[in-house]
Amino acid sequence: MSNSSLPALPASDRPEVAARLRDALLGAAFTADGLLELLGAPAYTALARSETVPALRATRGDTPLETLVRLFLLQQPVRHARVADVLPVAACLESGWLVSVGTDEVAATVDVRPYGGPDGEDWFIVSDLGCAVGGAGGIGSREEGVVLGVGGASTTLAGITVRTPVSAALDLGTGSGIQALHASRHATRVTATDLNPRALHITALTLALSGAQAADLREGSLFEPVRDDETYELIVSNPPFVISPGARLTYRDGGMGGDDLCRSLVQQAGERLREGGFAQFLANWQHVEGEDWQDRLRSWVPRGCDAWIVQREVQDVTQYAELWLRDAGDHRGDTAAYEALYDAWLDEFEARKVKAVGFGWITLRRTDSDAPSITVEEWPHPVEQPLGDAVREHFDRVDYLRTHDDAALLAAHFRLAPEIIQEQVGLPGAEDPEHVVLRQHRGMRRATKVDTVGAGFAGVCDGTMSAGRILDAIAQLVGEDPVLLRDRTPAQIRLLVEQGFLEPVG
């Protein structure tokens, strides 16, 4: 792969220049908060859609922050003297962050975008010019080796990642380095790989400009750059998961047939995980005629791993093809060429008997259990990010339920999880509701139907009484046989624990 037609990148071996540039950016309030205050919410959010006109209108003045927005976010040439009041221009020109344009102007060689870290850190994400975000308008470049900045997929993966302290983390297909940057907060050592050497260069810039520790950067596909004896407590990847006919764009097209890249990534991750370690991916998968998509994904899970797979969205093949043709900007070119590409995508899907494509999250956890747990579900509803703690707690509950039979559940103590509400559904004026719904207002924001016994049980759970004693009291209250109630209720308790409505005490 050649990146020869792409602009030269700033030097990645000049940390002192990156440090000076960072200080200058922070001194001018070139941060996520600073941008929001300067531009206002409409213009700020328009930038995330690759729409620049509102921001151009908001930066007509000569303040240092307006200068930096025009230079790094809007990629406008700015007068040398104006930039010299804000940045160390000579050092930035010499190391390649800026280039001279005409007789008295300078321009940025990369997009530099402020990004707020989870604990209020001021970070900066570097990407190729015009490629900070994608969206319906396309990424602005069709170059094979182009490197994108932060998009919705990137922030989704960062939000669902388990953030416990680890000694070693691996970011496969690092791109602009956003996952490596997050991992640097809680990992002693971060390894980042990418097939595209330009992406590794940009990751180094992102980390340096954000004041983060340097990562061990390795070129290669998937696990190829990882030695046989290397294992990790955390593996993350936002891979090139797009199912396409060919591999035109390195950042998105995996170059394998169908969903083979995502399958290979998941299947190979198990042997790279340390005991108790997590591997977390975004992925696409095929819905094939005559095949259960959940069974397809279960077959991907490697031996020795628990898994939680969540399908967030499904698109028919026409919607899917249109989405990614627009992503590449093909809709803006020759109509006949666009239609030929569209037709090629549909030919590919027809040959593989694919009727739709699913998108979602895959989390593996290495376990020593003889009976690994595999949960595959569809959940297209809104969730509350970040979900890293919710993901970890899911597997904690898997461990608990795996070691507690029905008798142990009845002897255990539980409490209702925070921010659970009860909804009663029925006709107005009816003596009893048709059904009762428990609803979460945190994490996955699940809702589940329960019977009156289940609702009463959950409402009483405060950790002071065992489940069995609560059921005995309910039996006496409603006139049921306590033995029969104890016999039929553990399945409902197990479901409420599994979905996070009840928390074990002690």
Side-chain angles (χ1 to χ4, degrees):
M1 180 186 66
S2 172
N3 291 323
S4 58
S5 58
L6 290 169
L9 294 171
S12 60
D13 58 352
R14 297 290 303 276
E16 74 285 356
V17 177
R20 290 178 63 191
L21 178 55
R22 172 178 171 78
D23 288 343
L25 297 178
L26 293 177
F30 187 68
T31 63
D33 290 342
L35 289 184
L36 182 59
E37 183 176 350
L38 170 69
L39 302 178
Y44 185 73
T45 55
L47 282 176
R49 302 190 302 268
S50 296
E51 296 291 350
T52 59
V53 172
L56 285 168
R57 292 172 59 87
T59 56
R60 292 170 173 170
D62 289 326
T63 67
L65 181 53
E66 289 170 299
T67 297
L68 295 177
V69 170
R70 283 188 162 260
L71 188 65
F72 286 118
L73 265 65
L74 305 178
Q75 279 96 55
Q76 300 291 309
V78 181
R79 287 183 293 107
H80 186 290
R82 184 175 171 187
V83 178
D85 290 336
V86 187
L87 301 178
V89 171
C92 289
L93 286 168
E94 189 271 334
S95 63
W97 289 95
L98 302 175
V99 292
S100 296
V101 178
T103 58
D104 67 343
E105 291 184 321
V106 297
T109 58
V110 288
D111 185 292
V112 175
R113 194 149 301 228
Y115 179 86
D119 290 327
E121 300 95 341
D122 288 315
W123 289 340
F124 300 97
I125 309 300
V126 180
S127 64
D128 273 312
L129 294 173
C131 299
V133 292
I139 63 169
S141 174
R142 300 185 191 181
E143 296 288 350
E144 180 186 3
V146 71
V147 180
L148 268 63
V150 175
S154 304
T155 55
T156 293
L157 179 59
I160 68 173
T161 300
V162 175
R163 298 296 176 192
T164 53
V166 297
S167 60
L170 173 64
D171 175 16
L172 287 176
T174 187
S176 62
I178 178 61
Q179 308 305 330
L181 182 57
H182 275 278
S184 71
R185 297 176 58 250
H186 61 102
T188 303
R189 177 173 59 88
V190 177
T191 301
T193 73
D194 206 291
L195 180 64
N196 183 0
R198 188 175 183 87
L200 296 176
H201 191 140
I202 283 182
T203 291
L205 298 176
T206 290
L207 294 172
L209 196 58
S210 298
Q213 63 172 322
D216 178 6
L217 304 176
R218 304 182 190 179
E219 182 179 346
S221 176
L222 301 181
F223 288 98
E224 287 177 2
V226 179
R227 297 191 303 271
D228 291 341
D229 61 344
E230 289 182 301
T231 56
Y232 301 85
E233 292 141 296
L234 176 65
I235 300 173
V236 293
S237 183
N238 177 16
F241 54 66
V242 176
I243 300 171
S244 61
R248 288 191 302 150
L249 299 172
T250 303
Y251 76 88
R252 70 166 205 194
D253 300 322
M256 297 186 185
D259 53 16
D260 284 353
L261 182 136
C262 292
R263 176 185 55 78
S264 298
L265 181 62
V266 173
Q267 290 181 335
Q268 295 173 23
E271 62 187 16
R272 300 297 184 182
L273 280 177
R274 297 176 186 173
E275 189 65 35
F278 288 92
Q280 299 186 259
F281 314 109
L282 301 184
N284 273 171
W285 42 79
Q286 298 172 150
H287 285 229
V288 180
E289 291 180 15
E291 178 184 83
D292 187 315
W293 69 270
Q294 294 186 336
D295 289 342
R296 181 181 190 87
L297 289 172
R298 287 189 185 95
S299 74
W300 291 8
V301 178
R303 292 171 62 103
C305 287
D306 294 322
W308 183 20
I309 301 172
V310 182
Q311 179 167 272
R312 295 287 290 156
E313 184 179 2
V314 181
Q315 292 182 314
D316 68 49
V317 292
T318 59
Q319 292 174 311
Y320 189 80
E322 291 163 14
L323 169 68
W324 293 109
L325 288 169
R326 285 180 173 274
D327 170 82
D330 292 312
H331 62 300
R332 296 194 300 263
D334 178 74
T335 300
Y338 171 79
E339 291 176 350
L341 286 169
Y342 198 153
D343 203 39
W345 282 63
L346 297 185
D347 282 345
E348 178 83 4
F349 287 131
E350 184 176 346
R352 294 180 176 275
K353 298 183 178 180
V354 176
K355 57 184 180 179
V357 178
F359 166 80
W361 319 326
I362 298 177
T363 299
L364 306 176
R365 186 190 60 168
R366 189 75 185 178
T367 179
D368 60 0
S369 172
D370 295 331
S373 167
I374 301 177
T375 300
V376 184
E377 64 175 320
E378 186 164 17
W379 191 253
H381 311 294
V383 299
E384 181 188 50
Q385 286 275 35
L387 275 170
D389 288 344
V391 172
R392 176 182 50 78
E393 290 163 1
H394 166 87
F395 289 95
D396 289 344
R397 294 193 296 270
V398 165
D399 285 340
Y400 179 86
L401 293 173
R402 190 157 43 199
T403 56
H404 285 70
D405 59 15
D406 287 356
L409 287 181
L410 291 175
H413 294 235
F414 301 96
R415 62 170 166 254
L416 192 65
E419 297 187 44
I420 303 293
I421 65 169
Q422 175 180 304
E423 301 172 356
Q424 297 188 172
V425 181
L427 294 174
E431 183 176 347
D432 296 311
E434 293 178 14
H435 59 263
V436 178
V437 174
L438 299 182
R439 188 178 301 277
Q440 300 169 345
H441 280 256
R442 296 175 56 190
M444 293 293 288
R445 294 181 176 172
R446 295 187 185 277
T448 189
K449 289 183 182 180
V450 293
D451 59 22
T452 53
V453 170
F457 178 87
V460 173
C461 283
D462 61 4
T464 60
M465 295 173 60
S466 69
R469 288 186 61 194
I470 293 175
L471 290 177
D472 290 343
I474 292 175
Q476 184 176 11
L477 183 65
V478 299
E480 283 204 38
D481 184 332
V483 175
L484 293 179
L485 194 59
R486 278 174 171 257
D487 185 56
R488 70 176 174 85
T489 308
Q492 192 166 190
I493 296 174
R494 189 172 295 275
L495 177 65
L496 292 175
V497 173
E498 178 185 340
Q499 295 191 345
F501 289 93
L502 293 180
E503 297 176 345
V505 175

